[in-house]
Every structure is written in structure tokens, then in C-alpha cells.
Amino acid sequence: MTLLNNDQENVENDSAEEAPRLSLRAAARSGPEPLRAADGLWRKVGHLLRRDVLGIAATTYLVLLLLTTVVGSFVLADSARNTNLHLRFVPPLSTQYGWEYVLGSDALGRSFLAQLTVAARTTLLISIGAVIAAAVVGALIGTVVGYARGRLDKVAMRIADVMLAFPSLLLALIVLYTLGAGLGSLILVLALARIAMYTRVARAETLAVRERVFIRASRAFGAGSLRIVCTQILPVIANPLVALATLEFALVMLAESALSFLGLGVHEPDVTWGGLIAEGRNYLQHAWWIALLPGLAITLTAIATNVLAELVRKAAESE
Amino acid sequence: MRTLSVNRLRQKHPKAGLVPVTVAVGCVLAMVGCAGGTSASTSGEMTSLRVALGYEPMSMDLCDASSARNGMFMTENIGEPLVDVNFKTTELEPKLATSWKQVDPNTWQFELRQGVTFHNGAPLNAKAVADWVNRILDPKLGCWLYGSVLDDNVKEAVAVDDDTVNITTASPDMILPQRLAFVMIGLADGDQGKKTQKPIGTGPYKFVSYQPGAEVKVERFEKYWGKAPQFRQVTYPIRVESSVRSAMSAAGEVDIATMIANQDAKAKGAVNFTVGETIYFRIDVNLPPFNDIRVRRALSLAIDRATFVKNVYGGLGEPANAIVVPTTVGYPDDVTYPYDPAQAKALLDEARRDGVNVGAPFKVVGWAGMRGSNGSEVPDTIVAMLKEVGFNATTQLLETESMRNRLGSANDPKFGPAVVLNAHGNSLGDALVSLRGKLGCKAPQSPVCDDQLDALLKQAAETAGDHRADLLAQAFRYEHDKLVALVPVAHMADTMIITNDRVSYTPNLASSERLDISEVSAK
Amino acid sequence: MARFILQRLRQGILSLLGLVLLVFVLARLTGSPAHLYLPEDASPQMVAAFNAENGFDKPLYIQLVHFLAGVFRLDFGESLLYGDPAVTVVLQRFPATLQLASVTMLIAVTLAIVVGAASAARRGSYGDAATRLGSMAALSVPDFWIALMGVAVFAVYWNLLPTSGMGGWQFWVLPLLTLALRPFGILTQVVRASMLDALDSDYVRVAKSKGVGPGAVIYKHALRNAAIPILTVAGILAAQVVNGALVVETVFGWPGIGNLMVTAIKGRDFAVIQAVVLITGAAIIVLNFLIDIAYSWLNPQIGLGE
């Protein structure tokens, strides 16, 4: 719970905002032996996918999105930059001005398709960057304190409780005003807000495995703590962390868009979907597509990753 | 207020002199408001008016009334000045003072109107006015008027007798009455040292309530000395988001929505008007490559002002040849800033041959909150034009606080060579404050310190009449020929939406920072 | 019990103190807000006078000592933006957010229990699939975006509801629905998942075999058992509702603390920023404390404290 719980009880409450996480911990307790972990997980996900229409749709969407983003960033980079003041606010769904204008144009006459694509790249980079940063740092801290136990563990968990209980956007706003908005500070703030989540899960999983036979054996053979944490514990608890990270992706993307909306997103010339919505709200009555389309993109992407996250969780649990 | 300097950053609107009025009052109410079962003012009777404000007020103190944040509801409604500017003729007219004269070079004397009372029943007399002016001059109070309209050249106000006030200055100030047209008189009422929560003025409306983040309410002052206005009550919903304001007007929830961004300039009921505010950019003249005057000239020649106006302001503004509007005293009629990309390229080539690194990257800095622009539209457009002639420019958009710091750090190598976009309004209608504030040696924002220019300005400050105008125009010409530190781009436009067919209003140059309710009429 | 309360109190105060310290230092790192409160051409003397008047000219640690001394007297200093004491400013706005948040949570929890339980009871049906997809969509939509779209459609296009502001019931519809969407999506999933667990449990199977009707089984036995995870998530969601309020209040011009916070941060109104953080933090701590008590009441097996 919440703010100030102790020790093992925390494990019961990891769920925070996402329900599915509730049973994560079961996974690693009976978990796989070290080496099989990661690639087994994805094979399992693939297996589950075959029986899940929604999962297939979500995966297809995500693959297409990634392809479009990667290819589009090259093909459309120029269109995204080229302003054409004679083509301001071209409405979408017409190829009268060329295929780049199929989704209309913005206030400076840039192709909105190109804008969306370029924004997709920045949005995905920020979200993925923040998720990875938070996962790596959070997992390391969680594993170390879980393995070491004692005072350090208590203090770390207390801090994690506070971080999770306090509205993250409020702190993010303050930090961003201090640091100044920008790509780097945005990733930093988004990652900081979510580290505690990984710390909790990693610690709970570590507590569950630290007394397992092979780890005790390593200790007996004189392996150092760091070595044990890195080579034996982390691989075992990787699956639930991967499942958590997948789930966190949508959350981080939504947080990024909210910050952009409040005017604390990345700087020009970079732009994200959230930034496009913020810009589009000024044109709602004349150019509805500028706010509508990036919002749809965010929603669809979030749904797709959440669907995928559910599959990953199932796979992680059933291993 | 413009005024002086104007704070564009915070507020952004000036008004000023007049300007060739491009007021397109055309469409005023061509239409019937959109229905709206939710409108608070639906009854046919014209007892109340609703006006959407775009800013959270700075305070409820009349000593902040010169900022657009407060001026929109306070100026001429709650508080009134000693002297009024007629924005059609730019002439001064009596208001709370019936006459004024300069009794010695450093003293102006004002005769007060008889029979005026404050909203709490206290009479308007010389002591009240002197106390109020001296209160503004207290730097601890941090009044917006002090530093924007009045400065430390004003020494003090003294009550000579019951109806006569003297205001003294350290050095002669020929335009003190103009300045006082922006000072709304309130009642100091023993609150010295602290801003008040309940403004007491002499205007036709008295303050009723302020709910932060929600609304300000005023109601008719029944003992007003002048003509009673039509509306018994005025409510000002505060909606900081421009999209919310335009949605409110589209839904018919307000009678007037102020500060509407240009993309809604064609909305039903939209009235577009020119304001006395000019967008310009400042160059870091000491940093390479801008320390070469040819490079600075090329920056100016690369700007296609007509296209800028068309694209950014939807054709509502006007290309500018000075950082003040043409009705301002001292406007240089013979200075022009043409668009000539070929010449710009030639100058750059020449500089390049002389070893100047004209391809060095630099930032075009814009303010995120600039009125009438969306996001980075203004700097983006300038960058696009500079790139055309071969500059290596990129956009940088700053929030208010960083922008203010940036304006105060001209030529700071920490930020690299930059072109900083700003908007300037001069509502006083006299160019001296603009020149001093932007180019004077002592001005925090100035990128230059030039003895000859300063001498011209000093001379102008102590001169009145046509000669003053000549001296100021000379200063502009000098800047254009010798310094090229400030490059004017365009005079801006503003839009308000008069949603409802129940009321009519014709905006003037000052309408982006004040809305005199007595000029609004019910139909 | 007394020990538990004391321990919680101590921990709560420590966390709040840490939080406020962090915010204090972060806020001051941005320097004096003089530029925001003085005209563009203000002279250096005016800036100095402003800083002296507001204590910004003192070293950081002295400002901190003053601030902390004030906190214990419930004096957070004066708001630069509003001229009033910061506490007054924040408490003025608090009810608007509190009302919005509590009604939001009430709606979200009620709807989530009904929908989630119904969905669990009909596992595998089309209705269940629709609920899963719907709740997934609800927690995936950016709240400010749906708010903007709501205003565009219901207020501007159809003219059914007001665009913004606070007033009669019509003013509540859009902000409530927008804000409730995400908690509803999350809670529905929690309810469904824990109901499924509970339905599979031995005691529900036994109850069924004893002939207890299906309705009674679901709502009495299973729901009671599922209440703990629901409560846990609902408590944590409170922090999220504050996040939501930051953007939703901005879109709807709702005069609450979310709106105030955005204005205060943009205006570098340190006193108000600190007061908002402290008061919000305290409210969340109290809420979590109440939730802990509710736990032990729901399930005496979970002990309080250590």
C-alpha cells in the first residue's frame, strides 16, 4: 500500500495501477532455471498469439507502426520540414496536392502525414528510452536491496512507496520547469517517476529466489554478491520485469503526451504526438484533424501495447 | 501599457497610437449567436454582460491595471486616469483632471474634477490622488505601473490644495500627461505596503468579487459622476486556454471573447483589429558572424514581411518599418526595410570572401506565449526565410521566464550568437521609451551602447513638439544606417469574438488590453 | 493499534518533509521569479527591491529555515500571484478538486464493480470480451485528448453542455466522465480478475454446491473477497486522479488545485507550489491510512503494522 508498508507486505500490493500485475509474482517463484528464461518467454508469447485474434491485431498494428516510423522517418523527413504557406490547413482524405497530403496539412502547410510519422519516431524513442532506463535502474536497485536486505532495503522501499503514492505528473512538472523541457530531461523525468515500480517487483522476486538451491550453492562456492545478482538472480527474475516493462510502455507514452499538452514537451523542431494535440487544440474548429489524428494514434498504440502486455504476462506466469 | 517598454512578454498587447486602422469590424455580428441553452446571459433583458478573459489577473490592485492581465477589466471600468487618450485622434482629453499644465520644467500641475467619489463614498481630492501616485512609486510594492509607465525619473506627487496636484520629476518629462493616461487612480486607503484584494476606484463599475481561476465580477456604481453605462453587471470568466475561450464563444456562453488566436479570425462574430504592437528581432551585434554589419543587413533583407503577415497573421497585420506604429511621435517616415534576397546573398558572399563564417549555426529564439502565434509559428517562419538566403538558422522556443532572462542577456556568448524575436508595444504614442528601452546604454535589453544615439535620445527627452519628433526619427535612421541591431518585422493584429447578437462593440488600438464597457452597447 | 497509528504518523511526516524539501530546492534552482512579476524594462534597482521584499536575496539555506519555521505554524508564505497567504489560496481551490475527485472515484468504483463482476460471471461471452476491450480502451485514451474532443462535440457542435467552468450539474458531466475513464478501465480489470480468482476458489465452489443462488454467490462471497485488491488499487488511483486533474482542470477551466498548480508553476509562485505539494501529499497519506484500516476491517487476517 500505499505509502508506508513494510517488507513482505509490499509484495502483496505491487499491483498499483495495473491489475494484471497482481499475479506476476507467482511467476518467478516457481520460475524457470536461469538460461532458458528470456527466449522461452517470447516463444511462449508467440504460442499464445496463435490463439488470440486481438493479440494478432495488436501485434500487426505495432509491427506496421514500427515499419512506417522507420521507413517514414527517411522518406518523409523532408516533407515534415518543408513549409508551404499556400497549402495551410489542407483537409485530409484528398490526394489533390499529392499523396503526402492524404492526411491534410498543418498551420505551416507541412504534410500532416509526415508530421505524424516524424512525431511517432520521437514519441516511441522517448517512451522506449524512458521504459528501458527505468527498468534497468529499477531492477538493479530492487535486486540489490532484495539480496542485501536489512536497513538499505527498508529505506529504499520507503522511498519507493512515497514515489508511487505521490502524483507523478505534479513532480514532473516541477522538475521540467527546473531543468527546462527537452528530449533528455523528458526521458529522465518519465523514467524517474517509474523506477519505483520495477524496484518493488524486482525486490519481491529476488526475495523469492535468493534462498533457492543454486544460489545458495554459488554463495557457498564463494561467488561475490554482485556476481550472484548479475549472473544468477537477474536472469531468473527477467520475465516478470519484461512483462512489467511492456505494460509500462503505454503508461509512459500517456504521461509524455500529458506533459507535452501542458507545454513541457520536447522542443522544436522535434515533435511528439502529444505535442501535435497541444498544437491542434488551437485549431479545433477549423482543422479538427490536427488534434484528432495524433490522439487516435496514441490511443491505438496504447491499446495495442496493453494487449501485448497481457500476453507477455500470461506467458511469464505460465512458464 | 504599453508603454514603455512594454512588456510584451507578459502581456503582449499594446496599443498605442493609432495605426492605420485596418479594423475589420466588418462581421461584427453578422450572425446570431449560437443558441446555447447553457449561456448564462440568455435573458433578453440587457442587464448583464459576459466577457471571457485570457489571463489570470496579476492582482486586484489598480496599480497593476496597466498590464493587459488586469487592464482588460479594470481600466476605465473600475479605475479611471487623470487624463484620457482618445485612441482615434491620439489627443489627450480631460478625465479625472479637468486641466493640466507644466508649471516649471520639472513640475506638472493637474486640476481635479469636482464632485467625483470613490466606490466607498470617499471624495476624490488632491490628497487621495497624491497618496495613490506616491504609493505606485514605492518599489517595494512592485506595481506594474512602476517600471512600465512611470519610472524613477518621477519623484513625487504633492497636494497643493484640495483640488490641485503637482507631480515632480528629476529631469524634465515632456510626456508626463501621456503617461498618466495609463495610471488608473485608486484609493490607497491605508493599505500602504501591500497590494489590495478589493480595488476601490472612481469608475462606472465597482468590484464585487474575484474567484481565482474562475471569474471576476463587477457591478454598476450608481453614484458614478459620468454617464451611467447600460449593463448592470459584468462577469469576466477567466479561461487561460485560448481554445477554451473560442469554444465558449462558439457555444454562445459569453458575449465577448478576448484574445482570440488568428486561426479563429474568421469565426462567426470575429472582429479583427490592428494593435499598436510590433514584432521585431534583436541581433547579438558583438558575436561573430553578426559583428559584421553586412551579415546583419543580410538578416534584414532576407525577411519577406508581406508573406510573413499573410501567413502568420492571416493578412491581418502589416509589414513594419520601425518597432513602433506609424502614428507614434518620432516615427521615421523615410526609413524602410525592403525584402531583397539577391542583395542579402550578395552581402553574405562578400562577407564570406572576407573570411567571415557566415554559415555558422545560430538560433532564432521565440517566445512560446507570444500573442496570436501558435507554438513556434513565428520563429519557424523567420527561420524558413533566413534559410532561403543561406543562413544556418534553427528555431528555439522559450517559456516566459527563460525568455525574459534571454532578453536581458544580449551578446552573451553563453547562448551563442542569436536572433531574438520579441514583440513591442508603445501605447504612450511617443517613440522615446521604445528607443531608450531597446537601444539605450542603460537598458538591460539593449545589444548596443552607442554614444551618438544616447546623445540624440537625451536631447529628445528634453524637447517637445516637432523638434522632438525629428530627433527621434533621426535616432531611428541612425539605427537603420549604422547599427542594424533591431530589425522590425510586422505590426500585429488581434481578434476578439463578439458572439452574441445582443451587443456591439468597435475595437480600437487599445482593445487588446482594455475593454471600456461604456463603449459596449446593447442592441 | 496506537503503535500502528504512531508509526504511520511518523513515517507520514518524514515522507512529507522529504517531498517538500525536494520541491523547495527544485523550485529555487530556477532562480528569482522577479522577471515574471516586473515589467520588461524594470531597472536592476526594481529587481533588487522585489527580491528583498520577497526574501529571494537571502542564501538558500536561510530561505529554507524561514520556510520550515513557517510550515510548523501552517504558514507557507504569501502567494506572489494572488497576494494572499498560500494556504488560503490552496484551501480555496481544494474543495473543487476534492468534489470532482470523489465523485469521479465513486462513479468509477461503482461502474467498475457492476461491469467487472458481470463480466467475470459471464466469462468468455461476447459481453465479457467487449468489457475487456472496453476497459483496455478506457485506460489507454489520453484524458486531455478525450476532454478536448468532448468539448468540441458536446459543447461546441451539439451545444448540449457548457464548455468550461463550474456551476450546475451540466458543468460536471464532461469533467467527471473524462476523469473517471481511466480509473474505470483499471478498476474494471481488477474487479474482473479478482472475481475470477474468487469464483474459482474452494469456498465459492462449496457455497455453490450447497445451493446458494448464483447472484448471492457473486455479490456476497466473491465480491467481499475481491474487495481487498480493489481497495488497494483504488487507493493508488487517488494519486492518478490528481494527475488527471492537472490536465482535465486545465481543459475545462475548473477552479481546482490542478488548475492552480499549473498556473503556479508557470508563474514561479513558490509558496503556492509548496503548499499544494504538502497539502496534496498529506491528503494522500491520510487516504492511504484509512485504506489500511479498511483492510484490517475487511480481512482481519491482515494485521496492522509490522
Side-chain angles (χ1 to χ4, degrees), chain B residues 83 92 100-110 149-151 153-154 167-181 329 428-433 436 456-469 471-472:
Chain B
V83 177
L92 295 180
W100 52 92
K101 62 180 182 220
Q102 200 171 14
V103 292
D104 68 52
N106 286 330
T107 310
W108 283 86
Q109 187 168 78
F110 297 83
V149 174
L150 302 179
D151 52 32
N153 188 41
V154 180
I167 299 182
T168 56
T169 52
S171 66
D173 183 353
M174 308 312 290
I175 57 166
L176 190 68
Q178 275 92 330
R179 294 181 194 264
L180 286 169
V329 171
L428 279 183
D430 184 285
L432 179 67
V433 288
R436 259 210 186 134
L456 267 175
L457 296 180
K458 184 160 187 299
Q459 203 186 339
E462 295 172 4
T463 316
D466 288 350
H467 190 40
R468 178 187 179 96
L471 288 168
L472 293 171

Side-chain angles (χ1 to χ4, degrees), chain B residues 5 8-10 34 36 58 140 144 146 197 210 212-213 239 244 247-248 253 400-401 404-405 422 438 445, chain C residues 32 35-41 46 53 81-82 84 92-93 155-156 159 162-165 250-251 268:
Chain B
S5 43
R8 257 40 290 294
L9 267 184
R10 226 183 182 19
C34 345
M58 291 184 72
K140 278 205 219 126
W144 193 261
Y146 187 63
Q197 306 296 302
Y210 164 47
R239 299 291 187 268
V244 175
M248 285 183 98
E253 289 172 24
T400 310
E401 173 74 6
R404 288 293 285 269
N405 284 332
N422 193 12
K438 303 301 172 198
Q445 290 190 20
Chain C
S32 160
H35 287 303
L36 288 176
Y37 291 88
L38 296 175
E40 199 178 298
D41 294 319
M46 290 174 62
E53 184 64 17
L81 277 172
Y82 302 103
D84 279 332
Q92 249 172 11
R93 305 282 199 102
V156 178
N159 228 315
T163 56
S164 57
T250 305
V251 176
R268 296 279 194 285

Side-chain angles (χ1 to χ4, degrees), chain C residues 183-271:
Chain C
F184 166 75
I186 292 166
L187 283 169
T188 304
Q189 297 198 342
V190 176
V191 171
R192 182 178 171 278
S194 38
M195 287 289 287
L196 286 179
D197 278 352
L199 287 174
D200 286 343
S201 68
D202 291 342
Y203 75 93
V204 172
R205 273 196 228 118
V206 171
K208 267 189 187 158
S209 70
K210 280 189 188 157
V212 181
V217 168
I218 291 175
Y219 288 101
K220 203 152 149 223
H221 296 271
L223 201 57
R224 188 180 161 97
N225 208 46
I228 290 177
I230 295 171
L231 205 57
T232 307
V233 179
I236 289 167
L237 280 179
Q240 293 235 333
V241 171
V242 176
N243 280 344
L246 278 173
V247 284
V248 170
E249 289 184 3
T250 305
V251 176
F252 292 108
W254 193 266
I257 52 159
N259 200 328
L260 174 68
M261 191 65 182
V262 174
T263 317
I265 290 179
K266 290 192 174 165
R268 296 279 194 285
D269 197 344
F270 299 150

Side-chain angles (χ1 to χ4, degrees), chain B residues 401-430:
Chain B
E401 173 74 6
S402 327
M403 185 68 185
R404 288 293 285 269
N405 284 332
R406 193 57 177 273
L407 282 172
S409 0
N411 294 316
D412 190 337
K414 191 169 72 187
F415 299 118
V419 161
V420 179
L421 280 156
N422 193 12
H424 171 64
N426 180 325
S427 38
L428 279 183
D430 184 285

Side-chain angles (χ1 to χ4, degrees), chain C residues 252-298:
Chain C
F252 292 108
W254 193 266
I257 52 159
N259 200 328
L260 174 68
M261 191 65 182
V262 174
T263 317
I265 290 179
K266 290 192 174 165
R268 296 279 194 285
D269 197 344
F270 299 150
V272 168
I273 296 175
Q274 286 149 6
V276 170
V277 168
L278 247 172
I279 293 176
T280 315
I284 289 174
I285 287 180
V286 170
L287 180 74
N288 281 319
F289 178 70
L290 293 178
I291 287 174
D292 285 342
I293 302 217
Y295 275 139
S296 63
W297 173 75
L298 273 171

